[in-house]
Amino acid sequence: MKKVIVFVLSAALACTMLLGCGTPASQSGSGGDRPGAEGTPAANLTLDNITIGFVHITDPSDMGYTYNHDLGTQEMQRTLGLSDDQIINKFNINEGGECLTAIRELIEAGCNIIFATSFGFEDYMLELAAEHPDIVFCHATGYQAADSGLANFHNYFASIYEGRYLAGIAAGLKTESNQLGYVAAFPFAEVISGYTAFYLGAKSVNPDVTMDIMYTNSWHDPTVEAQVTQALIDRGCDVISQHSDSTAPATTAEDNGVWQVGYNNDMIPAAPDASLISTRIDWGVYLTFAVSALIAGEEIPVDWCEGLSEGVVLLTPLNTAIAADGTQGAIDAAFAGIKAGTLQVFAGPLTGEGVNYDGSPAVIDIPEGEFFQESYPGSAPSWIYIIPGCNVIE
């Protein structure tokens, strides 16, 4: 396996801005002996008395991101044998001051550990983690834990780009127009990394494929997602994928007689004649780990990220009724390569241009034989580059 490359012009700045480049998870401490919530020191926490809080941007009815994260909560609850009253969910919380209020309410309710699951929640989590060192705060998709200096604040994510790559193979083999479409939430690293990996997977089996990307500027807006999907179809895209939180891209694709690749949930029930496959994260793995570690007084890494090999990134069953012949075999071969380390998603030769958070240009040029290692040393994605063949439509 060749040397990892993360460089060129502003790559170092991108790492600092996007990841808060800090100590790798394997070397980072968490202060496992810190106390729990008032009246319940960590040394006295058990599966019988721990209280766990969650802050979500939507609710499970989205059938997407929050639905999938809530499946992880249910998995953790079953695995650890927790009662319903030990888990407090705050659903439909926006990424503004309402988040601060929701977290404070969880603190007042006696939560020993609080999970927040949307990118825009991080600053509020940081503020209250600093005020309450006796409570553990875990934030999905964020990047600031390593530089926060807070022993009780953690980031977690998964190597979903690996699943995106495999799902892209299904799209690349299915397309007839060689033009894919992608419904993207925001121009953030998490989203750009995902659609780049999806495109690279498609291109690995179909060198002629291109992809149009349109942003919704929302994590969850079924109306806009449907409109963007329709616009992409009108441009000639015959396979649609998404980083958005509803089933609208799937159902709109089916209404138009084209195909779709989903995220967070198996979309076949919603669109059986369109949905090829989906990729999702099993959040229950981390949730179970973090709660168990807190009770045991063990380390929770500052950054945690696992993928296909660990069973954290998953593919839903392939829709063999509509998938192209040979799709499952191609996916299986790529999965084996990722697991063995012989296939790197962001492998050279690969070039791209992007924009850092401060508005400065970012450029990357990875030569053949080297690769960009995503989600390291932080857990959040850091790929911000638009590569040839990916066309962002304004």
Side-chain angles (χ1 to χ4, degrees), residues 19-374:
L19 289 177
C21 292
T23 308
S26 61
Q27 300 175 17
S28 58
S30 66
D33 58 349
R34 61 180 172 268
E38 286 95 344
T40 312
N44 296 329
L45 280 178
T46 69
L47 291 175
D48 293 323
N49 63 21
I50 192 169
T51 303
I52 303 163
F54 290 88
V55 184
H56 296 290
I57 193 166
T58 55
D59 63 61
S61 69
D62 69 3
M63 299 309 295
Y65 181 75
T66 300
Y67 167 80
N68 189 45
H69 223 117
D70 191 58
L71 287 181
T73 302
Q74 295 174 40
E75 177 185 329
M76 176 216 34
Q77 182 178 2
R78 290 192 303 270
T79 301
L80 299 180
L82 304 176
S83 62
D84 291 344
D85 61 6
Q86 291 179 266
I87 297 171
I88 305 173
N89 285 297
K90 296 288 185 178
F91 291 120
N92 297 306
I93 305 301
N94 65 40
E95 292 179 324
E98 185 180 341
C99 177
L100 198 66
T101 300
I103 299 169
R104 284 180 171 146
E105 289 174 350
L106 292 173
I107 292 169
E108 291 168 1
C111 290
N112 306 95
I113 183 168
I114 297 172
F115 298 90
T117 63
S118 192
F119 182 81
F121 293 161
E122 185 163 33
D123 288 345
Y124 305 104
M125 289 283 278
L126 276 167
E127 179 180 339
L128 292 179
E131 293 178 10
H132 297 273
D134 50 341
I135 299 172
V136 177
F137 294 78
C138 301
H139 177 250
T141 79
Y143 63 96
Q144 300 182 62
D147 284 347
S148 70
L150 299 174
N152 63 327
F153 187 73
H154 314 277
N155 288 136
Y156 67 100
F157 200 56
S159 300
I160 190 62
Y161 66 94
E162 297 174 338
R164 296 280 198 189
Y165 182 94
L166 298 184
I169 291 174
L173 290 173
K174 184 63 179 179
T175 180
E176 296 174 355
S177 67
N178 286 334
Q179 190 173 351
L180 310 179
Y182 204 99
V183 182
F186 292 99
F188 297 165
E190 177 186 343
V191 180
I192 297 171
S193 172
Y195 67 62
T196 304
F198 176 80
Y199 175 69
L200 289 171
K203 193 174 178 63
S204 72
V205 294
N206 183 348
D208 298 325
V209 75
T210 62
M211 186 169 74
D212 291 345
I213 300 113
M214 294 184 70
Y215 292 107
T216 64
N217 295 305
S218 172
W219 296 116
H220 177 73
D221 190 327
T223 300
V224 174
E225 290 170 42
Q227 293 169 343
V228 168
T229 301
Q230 188 65 58
L232 290 167
I233 293 169
D234 292 344
R235 291 180 58 85
C237 301
D238 66 351
V239 183
I240 304 296
S241 192
Q242 67 186 94
H243 191 135
S244 59
D245 290 353
S246 82
T247 60
T251 55
T252 305
E254 180 156 278
D255 290 344
N256 284 267
V258 301
W259 303 286
Q260 191 263 354
V261 173
Y263 181 42
N264 289 311
N265 188 14
D266 187 347
M267 297 295 179
I268 293 175
D273 296 325
S275 182
L276 295 165
I277 199 167
S278 299
T279 188
R280 57 178 289 263
I281 296 170
D282 183 352
W283 296 109
V285 177
Y286 177 78
L287 301 180
T288 302
F289 161 75
V291 171
S292 299
L294 176 59
I295 289 172
E298 297 174 350
E299 176 182 344
I300 301 174
V302 171
D303 278 283
W304 184 96
C305 186
E306 294 185 351
L308 283 169
S309 296
E310 298 83 11
V312 176
V313 173
L314 308 172
L315 288 176
T316 62
L318 179 69
N319 190 345
T320 55
I322 61 173
D325 291 343
T327 298
Q328 189 65 62
I331 290 174
D332 291 345
F335 177 90
I338 291 173
K339 188 172 182 179
T342 56
L343 190 162
Q344 297 294 334
V345 171
F346 297 99
L350 190 61
T351 61
E353 298 180 358
V355 179
N356 289 310
Y357 277 12
D358 64 359
S360 62
V363 181
I364 198 163
D365 187 352
I366 305 172
E368 187 170 358
E370 298 186 354
F371 66 95
F372 178 97
Q373 185 170 345
E374 182 61 293

